[in-house]
Amino acid sequence: MSGLELRELRKAYPEFTLSIDCTVREGSLTTLLGPSGCGKSTALSVITGIEAPSAGQIILAGTDITDLPPWERNIALVFQDYTLFPHMDVSHNIAYGLKIRKMPRRDIEGRSAELLELIGLAGYERRRVHELSGGEQQRVALARALAPQPKLLLLDEPLSALDAKLRIRLRTEIKRIQRELGVTTIYVTHDQEEALDISDEIIVMNNGKIEQSGTPEDIYRNPESLFCGSFIGASSVIPVSELYEDQQSSLHSREGLLFFRPEDVHLHGERPCSPCITFSGSQLTRKAYRGFYYEYFFSWKGHTVRSQGDGSLQEQQAYTLAVSADRCLILPEG
Ligand code: ADP
């Protein structure tokens, strides 16, 4: 098995324990997603060898690297704050790792040119670091990391320092470059939209553990816990016990939390649905303009039901909402 395997990997600090077991498929871009403090950086430190694990094994491309020093692991790391060498120009920055590996000079030049082309900065060889924008610096940092052809690329919140528009552009670029090279990549982020956009697979972490892993579609459509469901995308959650009795029996459950997405909620009778779960007397408390649609917030028995539409519904009016049972999940409480 190539790619990366983390086998029962543990890192125990006095007040926090990371405990994960997973596989990152060869050539995939896999995101570690979770709130601040869930253990993403700890996982990276152990994978890179900056920290020794308390237990477990790290297998990269079939080789056990658990006890190797960081510089023998063939892993490249890109942080959010570029960390380029300010006194070197772009081509020297990119060539740095290759010189250390004593690659012949002609080969270094060829490889640098190839990478500059790949990151869309051909012709920038002699530019100094301070002459580059934030986005360009991050591309050069990526090229420098990729130059020695690492077996694993780790991107630690690489776009956090950039503005929103540039972040979206650059993540598309990162995905393109990653696909083109086919390098196994772990992308760390706390930004769920970024994770949905860029990932082949997402590993959702919470409190040092893996909550769920799967494709973005899997995680969005079939969250296994309330944590995953509410961390990724908007949703509504209603205790099943508060639904009408006939609705409870159509769900084959009288316990747990009914979970559904805003795009599946509509006015009763507006779309076919069977069986239909209805929320009569839902009061529209707020509608928020989102550009090409409005987001609606209704109140039903004190719970918020979220929906979306063209803005034609009136605030403070009551409506009967509906959602098809096959668009709902029942998640465990707590
Ligand atoms: P994230 O990257 O998801 O924000 P971290 O991995 O940085 O989370 O931190 C997870 C937990 O591990 C935090 O509670 C943090 O205080 C703790 N932690 C991180 N590094 C150390 C350390 N060197 N010593 C003790 N505790 C640490």
Side-chain angles (χ1 to χ4, degrees):
M1 159 85 210
S2 354
L4 177 74
E5 286 175 72
L6 305 178
R7 292 188 189 156
E8 298 185 10
L9 195 65
R10 258 170 56 87
K11 176 71 190 173
Y13 291 127
E15 294 181 14
F16 177 85
T17 301
L18 174 82
S19 180
I20 52 177
D21 187 285
C22 63
T23 299
V24 174
R25 205 165 30 83
E26 185 186 7
S28 73
L29 192 157
T30 296
T31 298
L32 284 188
L33 174 70
S36 184
C38 72
K40 305 182 295 294
S41 305
T42 304
L44 288 196
S45 305
V46 176
I47 294 168
T48 52
I50 294 166
E51 295 268 9
S54 313
Q57 280 178 302
I58 306 166
I59 314 289
L60 179 57
T63 305
D64 187 338
I65 60 164
T66 319
D67 299 319
L68 287 184
W71 55 91
E72 285 179 19
R73 293 188 177 206
N74 210 352
I75 294 176
L77 182 58
V78 176
F79 300 100
Q80 62 169 277
D81 48 4
Y82 326 133
T83 57
L84 293 174
F85 304 116
H87 57 287
M88 293 183 192
D89 63 18
V90 166
S91 72
H92 282 91
N93 262 284
I94 294 177
Y96 182 78
L98 304 177
K99 280 191 186 144
I100 286 183
R101 283 169 178 78
K102 304 209 174 351
M103 191 188 246
R105 198 163 154 185
R106 282 217 6 220
D107 295 348
I108 292 181
E109 279 168 14
R111 179 86 182 128
S112 298
E114 199 180 288
L115 283 159
L116 277 169
E117 186 78 39
L118 185 72
I119 60 169
L121 291 181
Y124 277 56
E125 288 82 348
R126 300 275 84 85
R127 294 271 186 108
R128 317 294 300 186
V129 168
H130 71 265
E131 293 171 324
L132 303 176
S133 69
E136 288 165 350
Q137 287 188 42
Q138 197 53 308
R139 281 170 208 230
V140 174
L142 182 63
R144 186 183 57 180
L146 290 168
Q149 297 184 301
K151 288 222 159 41
L152 179 67
L153 174 66
L154 302 177
L155 301 168
D156 188 3
E157 307 248 4
L159 306 178
S160 304
L162 305 172
D163 67 65
K165 253 198 173 145
L166 190 55
R167 274 208 311 266
I168 294 174
R169 221 177 69 207
L170 220 53
R171 75 187 186 214
T172 311
E173 278 285 282
I174 288 177
K175 182 73 197 159
R176 176 187 62 78
I177 292 168
Q178 188 272 336
R179 277 225 173 114
E180 224 167 294
L181 298 180
V183 55
T184 309
T185 301
I186 297 185
Y187 190 101
V188 171
T189 183
H190 62 270
D191 181 336
Q192 43 110 0
E193 192 202 308
E194 198 164 278
L196 286 176
D197 180 14
I198 201 172
S199 315
D200 296 313
E201 302 233 357
I202 298 177
I203 296 175
V204 184
M205 289 181 58
N206 181 23
N207 203 15
K209 297 196 170 58
I210 295 176
E211 276 286 314
Q212 186 174 352
S213 55
T215 62
E217 291 85 354
D218 249 359
I219 305 265
Y220 183 81
R221 274 312 343 160
N222 298 305
E224 287 163 5
S225 65
L226 190 57
F227 177 85
C228 280
S230 34
F231 193 72
I232 295 167
S235 55
S236 304
V237 177
I238 310 269
V240 172
S241 58
E242 295 193 27
L243 300 176
Y244 305 115
E245 281 212 358
D246 57 329
Q247 297 185 328
Q248 288 175 11
S249 50
S250 76
L251 289 167
H252 309 291
S253 173
R254 282 161 200 271
E255 282 174 18
L257 300 168
L258 189 74
F259 175 95
F260 48 94
R261 299 289 187 187
E263 61 272 26
D264 295 322
V265 177
H266 49 89
L267 293 181
H268 187 42
E270 197 181 54
R271 290 187 216 161
C273 65
S274 77
C276 222
I277 314 260
T278 55
F279 306 98
S280 59
S282 297
Q283 188 166 54
L284 181 58
T285 51
R286 188 164 107 78
K287 58 179 179 184
Y289 185 49
R290 298 285 186 239
F292 65 93
Y293 71 101
Y294 281 78
E295 196 169 354
Y296 294 134
F297 298 86
F298 296 89
S299 174
W300 183 79
K301 290 193 186 179
H303 301 286
T304 301
V305 177
R306 300 174 67 151
S307 173
Q308 47 195 224
D310 61 7
S312 56
L313 303 189
Q314 299 299 311
E315 282 181 348
Q316 307 317 326
Q317 289 231 16
Y319 297 90
T320 298
L321 302 176
V323 58
S324 190
D326 61 5
R327 304 301 290 174
C328 296
L329 295 173
I330 299 192
L331 300 178
E333 293 188 50

